[in-house]
Amino acid sequence: MIIKKQVYRADKKVNPLIGILLFFISILLFVFTVPFGFVYALFYKLFKRGLTGIGEYALKIAISVDQLGNVTMQHLLNALWIKDGGYYFGNRDETISSAIGRNKKLGTLTIFGRAIDKLLDIIDPNHSLNSIDYYIEPTERIIDKLAWIHLVEGKILSTRSNGKTKYYIPGGKRELGESDSLTLVREIKEELSVDIKVPSLEFIGIFEAQADGHKPGILVRMTCYAAQYHGQLAPDSEIEEMVWLTYNDRDMVSAVDQLIFDFLYHKGDLIN
């Protein structure tokens, strides 16, 4: 069984006045209840697990504070730490370090952003890159997609859609409420006329890159699985061509697929 964080669902729109009211209520609750809860938790963790328990508790608080900072300071950080076309701060589910890491990969940190990144690296080498959270809720700046990795004799199955010039690893976008397996079953059936065997799903990895055909700073997050299938492979729907590519064909695929090609090649699964 594949267990992952629940699929993100967009928030319902609320009246701004309700948002302001809830903000003040949350501040009052924080001021009057958090100190008692914090002191109780310290003694509870100390009694149950000693200093190790306190350390684990402190780390959880640090991450939560970091996420709060990513929301409250988002506009300032977006103005000072990233260039135009960078990945925005502000996702409530993400830490500041994770957003820095994404911009570091895109090369969109400003002088200030790079200075903060270097400071973090002194404390913890490769801190921002290691902090990238690939399980955060998708936003308008992260396109959430699934991909089926199917290799035969060192070559990877790829497709080309009608009117497109680049090839893509089969798969597609998740629909509202869909699990990974449901998305893959639906997309692969639509594109290649075969049925994925859900019990055979094997998680490969998660890869991110600039999304093709979108403005800078819009990322595509590709969650990849290998799996067996029923049926006869054949292009369907909007798919014009089905091919088997090698690592030498890397320049023919999208930016995120290039990362997947690199990963598979270095593993020895994809031939030249």
Side-chain angles (χ1 to χ4, degrees):
M1 179 181 293
I2 299 168
I3 301 176
K4 292 184 61 182
K5 182 183 287 188
Q6 182 176 345
V7 175
Y8 167 70
R9 290 179 172 82
D11 292 334
K12 295 180 180 179
K13 291 185 179 297
V14 297
N15 187 316
L17 294 178
I18 294 177
I20 294 172
L21 178 62
L22 290 175
F23 169 75
F24 284 111
I25 291 174
S26 67
I27 292 297
L28 288 173
L29 289 173
F30 183 89
V31 170
F32 290 106
T33 64
V34 166
F36 297 103
F38 177 71
V39 172
Y40 175 81
L42 287 180
F43 282 104
Y44 178 84
K45 288 293 185 179
L46 182 63
F47 176 75
K48 289 289 186 179
R49 291 177 53 80
L51 291 178
T52 299
I54 291 179
E56 293 170 347
Y57 177 59
L59 179 59
K60 289 182 179 179
I61 293 177
I63 293 172
S64 297
V65 171
D66 203 342
Q67 291 170 327
L68 176 62
N70 191 35
V71 174
T72 56
M73 298 191 297
Q74 59 182 292
H75 301 296
L76 180 63
L77 299 183
N78 288 333
L80 297 180
W81 287 10
I82 60 174
K83 303 174 184 176
D84 289 341
Y87 173 78
Y88 287 171
F89 293 87
N91 189 334
R92 68 184 182 189
D93 196 33
E94 185 173 22
T95 63
I96 292 174
S97 297
S98 174
I100 291 175
R102 284 188 160 92
N103 281 289
K104 185 174 184 177
K105 289 180 66 177
L106 290 172
T108 51
L109 289 173
T110 64
I111 294 176
F112 298 109
R114 292 196 299 272
I116 294 297
D117 181 60
K118 288 181 180 179
L119 176 62
L120 292 172
D121 280 349
I122 292 173
I123 300 170
D124 177 28
N126 293 319
H127 176 82
S128 64
L129 294 178
N130 292 334
S131 297
I132 296 176
D133 187 351
Y134 294 106
Y135 295 95
I136 63 169
E137 61 187 30
T139 66
E140 69 276 3
R141 303 193 70 85
I142 297 180
I143 301 171
D144 187 23
K145 299 184 73 174
L146 280 294
W148 178 37
I149 307 299
H150 185 48
L151 294 151
V152 175
E153 297 180 350
K155 298 180 180 180
I156 186 168
L157 178 64
S158 299
T159 60
R160 183 174 61 81
S161 300
N162 295 324
K164 301 291 185 180
T165 57
K166 287 190 176 181
Y167 292 91
Y168 295 86
I169 296 172
K173 294 180 183 178
R174 188 196 312 273
E175 292 186 353
L176 182 63
E178 278 190 331
S179 64
D180 289 6
S181 58
L182 285 176
T183 301
L184 276 180
V185 168
R186 176 181 53 77
E187 287 288 344
I188 301 307
K189 183 67 173 179
E190 291 175 359
E191 294 183 358
L192 296 170
S193 309
V194 297
D195 297 304
I196 292 293
K197 296 181 180 179
V198 174
S200 71
L201 282 171
E202 178 185 352
F203 178 71
I204 300 297
I206 301 175
F207 305 84
E208 274 187 1
Q210 171 65 40
D212 284 353
H214 293 265
K215 63 182 181 180
I218 304 298
L219 306 179
V220 58
R221 178 173 68 199
M222 193 77 80
T223 303
C224 301
Y225 291 90
Q228 300 173 15
Y229 66 94
H230 292 290
Q232 185 70 35
L233 289 167
D236 199 356
S237 187
E238 77 279 5
I239 301 302
E240 184 173 338
E241 185 181 6
M242 181 184 77
V243 295
W244 296 91
L245 302 182
T246 68
Y247 190 66
N248 287 333
D249 302 312
R250 183 180 182 275
D251 291 339
M252 299 167 61
V253 301
S254 67
V256 70
D257 285 2
Q258 288 180 1
L259 296 181
I260 299 169
F261 272 43
D262 293 342
F263 174 78
L264 295 172
Y265 177 71
H266 292 302
K267 277 185 62 183
D269 294 336
L270 189 64
I271 64 172
N272 273 317

